[in-house]
């Protein structure tokens, strides 16, 4: 079975600091995609960053970057220079064929 | 440039009633997905539809739940004889035919929150 695990229910960080959210997954597939989605209080699901499993280079989107360790099946999200607007639930997700499988989420609070 | 539109945003039903949730995908998108989010949990896949076809309904409860995506009009998620355990946020997402699953990006609506009294 394909599963996604986020072991940190809640995290907090001070504005301008850096925070890392953890995610591990389990699959027997070799080609797949990994994502981090953000869900602010408005509940809209917003794609933050995407990683293709066949690419060794870690994806980066402005202040957001990932540490993708394929052998360890680990996919952490690093948020640099945290902003108040980063406060949200963050979901790690996995897909290899047709449907996204989500983790249970990490609630991130950014403090001023 | 409308995104995925879901309505109603909030729906209250009494036990035993029916709930109908509607989803209009991004214009031009022919793939629709429904996910359910229970309080304090992640999104759980329910069903994947293309126009007039159910592709994968492995996440749908076997009874009381049904979904359709007709040739014309929005996708409908229907829950018959609702029970308190059906209370959740139901999210619809869409993707264009030639993008997903290569990029895996889904465009999500803002969700419909169902409360069963």
């Amino acid at each position: 079975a394909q599963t996604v695990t986020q072991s940190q229910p809640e995290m907090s960080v001070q504005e301008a600091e850096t925070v890392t959210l953890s995610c591990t997954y389990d699959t027997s597939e070799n080609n797949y995609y990994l994502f981090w989605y953000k869900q602010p209080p408005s509940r809209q699901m917003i794609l933050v960053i995407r990683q293709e499993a066949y690419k060794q280079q870690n994806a980066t989107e402005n202040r957001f970057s990932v540490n993708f360790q394929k052998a360890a099946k680990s996919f952490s999200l690093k948020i640099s220079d945290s902003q108040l607007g980063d406060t949200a639930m963050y979901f790690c997700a996995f897909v290899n064929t047709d449907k996204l499988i989500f983790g249970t989420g990490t609630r991130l609070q950014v403090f001023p | 440039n409308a995104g995925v539109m879901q309505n109603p945003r909030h729906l209250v039903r009494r036990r035993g009633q029916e709930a109908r949730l509607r989803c209009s995908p991004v214009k031009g998108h022919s793939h629709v997905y429904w996910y359910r989010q229970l309080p304090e949990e992640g999104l759980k896949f329910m069903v994947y539809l293309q126009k007039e076809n159910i592709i994968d309904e492995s996440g749908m409860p076997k009874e009381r739940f049904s979904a359709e995506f007709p040739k014309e009009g929005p996708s409908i998620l229907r829950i018959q004889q609702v029970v308190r355990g059906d209370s959740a946020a139901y999210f619809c997402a869409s993707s264009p035919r030639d993008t997903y699953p290569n990029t895996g990006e889904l465009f999500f609506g803002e969700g419909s929150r169902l409360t069963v009294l």
Side-chain angles (χ1 to χ4, degrees):
Chain A
Q2 296 164 342
T3 59
V4 178
T5 301
Q6 293 179 251
S7 58
Q8 305 155 313
E10 295 183 356
M11 295 279 286
S12 62
V13 64
Q14 196 149 24
E15 200 174 7
E17 297 295 312
T18 295
V19 64
T20 299
L21 308 183
S22 301
C23 173
T24 58
Y25 59 95
D26 187 25
T27 182
S28 57
E29 301 293 329
N30 194 45
N31 294 320
Y32 49 87
Y33 299 84
L34 294 158
F35 310 86
W36 279 95
Y37 276 86
K38 170 185 177 181
Q39 187 180 41
S42 66
R43 294 192 294 125
Q44 181 91 42
M45 294 291 286
I46 302 165
L47 178 66
V48 174
I49 199 165
R50 169 177 52 235
Q51 174 78 43
E52 294 148 349
Y54 65 86
K55 288 188 177 179
Q56 293 185 338
Q57 186 175 5
N58 289 324
T60 299
E61 283 289 338
N62 301 314
R63 298 183 295 108
F64 299 88
S65 61
V66 300
N67 183 5
F68 174 47
Q69 302 288 329
K70 190 172 183 179
K73 296 180 181 175
S74 169
F75 182 61
S76 61
L77 174 70
K78 185 172 82 171
I79 306 175
S80 304
D81 186 25
S82 297
Q83 300 175 0
L84 296 177
D86 295 334
T87 292
M89 283 290 288
Y90 287 82
F91 292 97
C92 179
F94 163 100
V95 66
N96 78 301
T97 51
D98 55 6
K99 54 182 176 284
L100 279 174
I101 300 170
F102 287 89
T104 51
T106 296
R107 186 179 302 280
L108 176 66
Q109 180 73 49
V110 180
F111 291 98
Chain B
N1 186 20
V4 176
M5 304 299 292
Q6 289 189 248
N7 66 83
R9 292 292 308 279
H10 300 275
L11 181 64
V12 178
R13 286 287 180 267
R14 296 191 180 279
R15 281 180 297 170
Q17 292 183 318
E18 178 179 286
R20 280 186 182 233
L21 309 177
R22 287 176 292 277
C23 169
S24 296
V26 173
K27 187 176 181 181
H29 285 193
S30 57
H31 298 207
V32 165
Y33 303 77
W34 285 93
Y35 283 81
R36 176 164 64 176
Q37 185 178 30
L38 295 171
E40 304 304 317
E41 293 190 12
L43 279 69
K44 295 282 199 270
F45 168 78
M46 297 182 74
V47 62
Y48 162 37
L49 310 105
Q50 292 179 20
K51 284 284 188 181
E52 300 184 278
N53 289 306
I54 296 174
I55 306 303
D56 182 346
E57 57 182 347
S58 58
M60 285 272 274
K62 293 288 185 276
E63 299 177 350
R64 303 188 298 108
F65 285 72
S66 62
E68 62 177 7
F69 188 19
K71 186 177 180 181
E72 300 291 339
S75 176
I76 306 286
L77 179 66
R78 181 184 179 201
I79 312 172
Q80 295 177 289
Q81 299 176 330
V82 295
V83 300
R84 288 214 174 108
D86 297 333
S87 294
Y90 292 83
F91 286 88
C92 173
S94 73
S95 72
R97 179 181 178 85
D98 58 356
T99 298
Y100 191 83
N102 291 331
T103 66
E105 181 172 1
L106 296 185
F107 295 80
F108 280 86
E110 294 186 343
S112 292
R113 183 170 296 278
L114 171 66
T115 301
V116 180
L117 302 177

